Amino acid sequence: MIARRKEVNQIFQKDVTPFVTQYCVECHADRPKAGLNLRVAVKKPGDPAFTRKWLECIANVRAGDMPPEEADQPSEDERRRFLEALGQIKYLSARDPGPFVIRRLTKAEYGNTLRDFLGVEPGIARELPEEVSGAGYLNSLSPMQTEQYLGIANLALQKMPAAVQRRLLGPPQADVRSIAQKLARIAYRRPPTEDEVDVLVKVFDLGRASNLDRNAALRLMLKAVLISPQFLFITPSVEVPAGEKIAPLDDFQLASRLSYLLWSTLPDAELSGLADQGRLREPDMLKAQTLRLLADKRSRALFDGFGAQWLGLDRLASKTFDTEKFPQMTPAVRAAMYDEARLFFEGVVRDNLSLTTFISADYSFLNDTLAVFYGLEKASLGTSMRKVQLNNPNRGGILGMPGILAVTSFPTRTSAVKRGVWVLEQVLGEQVPPAPPNIPALEKQDAQKVGHLTLRQRTELHRTNAVCANCHRILDPIGFGLENFDAIGRWRDRDESGGAIDAAGELPGGGRFASPAELKGLIASRRDDLARNLAEKFLAYAIGRQLDGYDFIVVDQMLNTLAVEGYKMQTLILETVTSYPFLNRRVQD
């Protein structure tokens, strides 16, 4: 590893530093444009603080956006060597699992946790606001949020079945301190400290002093558990040997991390019992428990949390469509579109299929409502979703799913750009530079001049703007490969102008296609790109943060195992939960 770092450092000094000095620092130095100070970054190439910046550099230089058109331009050889050198910068990173992200339970996790703790419906949390997607989760509580949690706790206690209350609060003669310890062990997802138990017992005593009967005082103590930070937040273990910079997660935290990853809820009795015995970290045991959780129906949460976010379907229910053009987009249709992708994803996981199945599959899950979008009105599938073999090679897999085609469209029409970005970023894992500011939309074009043009012709006219050309040159051909699907995913041979659809295009790096089926085939053949993208996205989801330098070395190791084992989906999950960043954390100062 030391020899590799030395080699990469030499490559960096030879191919990156001169490139940055000659073509970049005039704009990206002491008063940097776009917040990008490359004069500092080249002095600390392995610093995790600059990982995102180097990724931006790769995207912009690869797209031809940087250096800007009016500046001196590097040769193609200089550009190639610069990009190849930055691709190796991860090897300058120290072995580091990264920080543990302390975060509040998501809305779905909170509802599921109340279900499994108190036996109430998870929809009890529906009034909580939706999370804002981003690099991580908020780790604070506002007074308004505290009031919301208190209200939900009151409602949950009212709806708690009597049998659950007897199980949690025990018989009349039960010791209050023992009850507090039991409640806290479940809710805090670890054994409570003596001080934490003292606090709960004091709440019970306060209730009794306020003339509450024993049962009411116990319920007050349970309410205190439900609104405590220990319940509402996912936190790391606090006991770390002095002087340690990296610490393994203890078995209790590992049980929580695994359970919330695959089930979006607290550990069950078996997982908690193994944590109590200190056996969960045993590699064979951890793998066995992972497979057990995946086989349980609660693993649906893996799609609702990770799968829907990866595919963009978490936006489908709220996405706006022109109701005159697309009256078909009813809540029932949106639900069927979501369930199609969910059942497909769950099948790939459950049957341990190759990751390429996401692209190359020749089947999907449909009901009568969704069959219409596939031109299969006569199939008589009924109201329940069922697996359907597809004879149309343009369908099957995520590229031909109406829900995904819909979320990558505008409210009134398709978007070659949105679909191109989605394929590059969500499927192939490439970073696309953000659009320049103040670029006019297609709708700003003179309607009389472009009224007879197809959307492809209008987009190509838009591309004559030099500022737009580089990105559109990469994105548009991919999006046009899906142009046979309208804005809600129905097949068509002509677009709204009446012109014939031209679905021909080319992927970055080569590979021409003339139909969605050929585009599918080309993408499915890029197995390593698909696997790397999913590995990076899933690892980031599992540890709750963006990946940094050493994480990409971990991904390389995961890919080696994936290749040997046939790129299987369960292999990806097992490699993630046994990875260094998943099992360890950096000790914060």
Side-chain angles (χ1 to χ4, degrees):
M1 194 68 179
I2 295 175
R4 185 66 182 272
R5 285 182 187 168
K6 184 177 180 180
E7 178 190 1
V8 173
N9 247 320
Q10 291 171 345
I11 293 172
F12 187 91
Q13 298 305 324
K14 179 169 68 75
D15 294 331
V16 175
T17 302
F19 187 102
V20 168
T21 301
Q22 183 169 353
Y23 300 111
C24 307
V25 293
E26 183 177 345
C27 296
H28 298 289
D30 302 320
R31 300 184 67 181
K33 290 185 178 179
L36 188 59
N37 189 334
L38 294 181
R39 195 193 302 279
V40 174
V42 292
K43 294 177 181 177
K44 302 178 180 180
D47 192 322
F50 299 110
T51 299
R52 294 289 123 194
K53 300 301 183 185
W54 288 126
L55 290 176
E56 290 176 27
C57 289
I58 290 173
N60 282 294
V61 172
R62 180 178 288 151
D65 284 354
M66 290 291 157
E69 194 174 54
E70 66 276 8
D72 290 341
Q73 295 296 312
S75 68
E76 285 305 308
D77 185 59
E78 286 178 303
R79 196 181 292 268
R80 176 187 58 78
R81 288 189 286 112
F82 174 77
L83 292 173
E84 288 178 354
L86 284 186
Q88 299 184 64
I89 201 171
K90 60 192 170 188
Y91 296 110
L92 299 178
S93 305
R95 192 168 189 253
D96 179 12
F100 187 99
V101 177
I102 297 174
R103 64 174 181 83
R104 198 165 64 240
L105 295 178
T106 67
K107 181 177 179 177
E109 289 170 340
Y110 179 65
N112 291 343
T113 301
L114 288 178
R115 174 198 65 200
D116 293 339
F117 185 25
L118 302 182
V120 298
E121 286 298 315
I124 198 170
R126 69 173 64 90
E127 297 304 320
L128 287 176
E130 297 296 336
E131 292 83 21
V132 178
S133 61
Y137 297 90
L138 296 177
N139 58 4
S140 60
L141 278 175
S142 69
M144 183 180 75
Q145 289 167 327
T146 303
E147 286 295 321
Q148 285 181 307
Y149 283 116
L150 183 59
I152 294 171
N154 285 327
L155 185 59
L157 290 174
Q158 292 171 20
K159 292 181 174 292
M160 181 171 62
V164 174
Q165 178 170 311
R166 286 195 298 272
R167 174 171 57 80
L168 291 177
L169 302 184
Q173 68 274 19
D175 175 63
V176 171
R177 190 171 189 85
S178 297
I179 295 172
Q181 287 174 326
K182 179 173 70 174
L183 293 175
R185 171 63 186 89
I186 300 170
Y188 299 171
R189 302 167 284 268
R190 57 167 173 76
T193 64
E194 289 301 311
D195 287 345
E196 288 169 336
V197 175
D198 288 343
V199 168
L200 296 178
V201 172
K202 286 178 181 177
V203 171
F204 172 85
D205 292 339
L206 179 64
R208 295 292 281 154
S210 300
N211 297 319
L212 294 181
D213 62 29
R214 174 187 166 84
N215 189 57
L218 286 174
R219 288 167 64 89
L220 182 66
M221 184 171 74
L222 177 54
K223 186 192 300 186
V225 168
L226 295 178
I227 60 172
S228 67
Q230 296 94 319
F231 177 68
L232 296 176
F233 288 83
I234 301 287
T235 59
S237 54
V238 293
E239 295 182 8
V240 177
E244 292 291 332
K245 294 184 178 180
I246 293 173
L249 299 188
D250 65 27
D251 280 59
F252 305 109
Q253 185 53 52
L254 182 55
S256 287
R257 179 167 259 189
L258 183 65
S259 186
Y260 278 99
L261 171 65
L262 301 181
W263 282 357
S264 291
T265 189
L266 45 68
D268 67 354
E270 183 171 338
L271 210 53
S272 295
L274 288 168
D276 287 333
Q277 297 167 34
R279 297 183 56 205
L280 187 58
R281 287 187 65 89
E282 298 171 9
D284 289 344
M285 181 62 74
L286 180 56
K287 289 181 179 180
Q289 286 299 306
T290 299
L291 295 176
R292 179 180 73 85
L293 267 61
L294 287 175
D296 189 282
K297 64 181 181 180
R298 281 171 284 188
S299 64
R300 167 182 173 153
L302 185 58
F303 177 80
D304 294 333
F306 171 72
Q309 177 182 302
W310 165 45
L311 298 173
L313 286 170
D314 53 345
R315 307 189 302 270
L316 179 61
S318 60
K319 184 173 173 62
T320 301
F321 291 92
D322 186 310
T323 54
E324 291 188 9
K325 281 191 172 184
F326 306 113
Q328 301 86 356
M329 291 302 288
T330 63
V333 164
R334 294 175 196 239
M337 289 177 172
Y338 184 91
D339 282 344
E340 175 188 20
R342 176 180 63 80
L343 291 167
F344 181 81
F345 180 94
E346 288 174 354
V348 174
V349 175
R350 180 186 60 250
D351 298 332
N352 196 21
L353 302 179
S354 168
L355 302 179
T356 58
T357 308
F358 285 117
I359 307 300
S360 62
D362 59 358
Y363 64 90
S364 196
F365 292 82
L366 309 176
N367 61 6
D368 276 343
T369 300
L370 203 53
V372 175
F373 286 72
Y374 281 79
L376 298 174
E377 297 89 339
K378 299 179 181 179
S380 299
L381 299 175
T383 57
S384 299
M385 303 292 288
R386 62 180 65 185
K387 188 175 182 178
V388 176
Q389 195 70 30
L390 302 171
N391 297 320
N392 182 348
N394 294 301
R395 292 288 194 179
I398 58 178
L399 294 182
M401 286 186 179
I404 291 170
L405 293 160
V407 295
T408 53
S409 295
F410 286 120
T412 58
R413 62 169 175 84
T414 59
S415 170
V417 173
K418 281 178 175 283
R419 289 177 176 176
V421 169
W422 182 85
V423 170
L424 282 177
E425 291 191 336
Q426 303 307 116
V427 179
L428 293 175
E430 298 189 16
Q431 185 159 354
V432 177
N438 305 318
I439 297 299
L442 288 185
E443 283 70 19
K444 299 293 185 181
Q445 292 174 331
D446 188 318
Q448 290 185 335
K449 291 182 180 179
V450 302
H452 64 291
L453 300 180
T454 65
L455 182 63
R456 178 166 193 149
Q457 291 167 334
R458 291 176 61 189
T459 306
E460 288 173 343
L461 181 64
H462 177 76
R463 207 161 83 188
T464 58
N465 183 330
V467 179
C468 309
N470 285 329
C471 276
H472 281 275
R473 174 175 50 80
I474 297 171
L475 302 174
D476 294 351
I478 302 172
F480 288 135
L482 300 172
E483 188 64 10
N484 280 112
F485 302 111
D486 74 3
I488 58 174
R490 299 172 299 185
W491 183 265
R492 59 185 182 169
D493 294 307
R494 296 182 176 275
D495 78 358
E496 292 179 345
S497 72
I501 299 291
D502 178 3
E506 184 176 6
L507 283 178
R512 298 194 62 80
F513 54 87
S515 67
E518 292 181 7
L519 175 59
K520 277 180 56 179
L522 283 173
I523 292 176
S525 70
R526 292 177 57 170
R527 202 164 51 171
D528 289 339
D529 293 331
L530 288 169
R532 180 175 294 278
N533 172 53
L534 262 178
E536 289 180 357
K537 284 182 165 53
F538 190 62
L539 178 60
Y541 176 77
I543 59 180
R545 60 172 176 79
Q546 289 184 333
L547 301 189
D548 277 322
Y550 186 76
D551 299 321
F552 294 107
I553 298 178
V554 172
V555 170
D556 285 349
Q557 296 164 351
M558 293 168 63
L559 289 172
N560 290 336
T561 305
L562 277 166
V564 169
E565 299 191 8
Y567 297 92
K568 303 292 188 181
M569 187 64 186
Q570 288 183 11
T571 303
L572 171 61
I573 296 170
L574 290 171
E575 285 295 294
T576 299
V577 302
T578 56
S579 69
Y580 184 67
F582 192 84
L583 297 175
N584 299 276
R585 69 180 178 94
R586 184 196 309 149
V587 178
Q588 302 296 85
D589 294 335

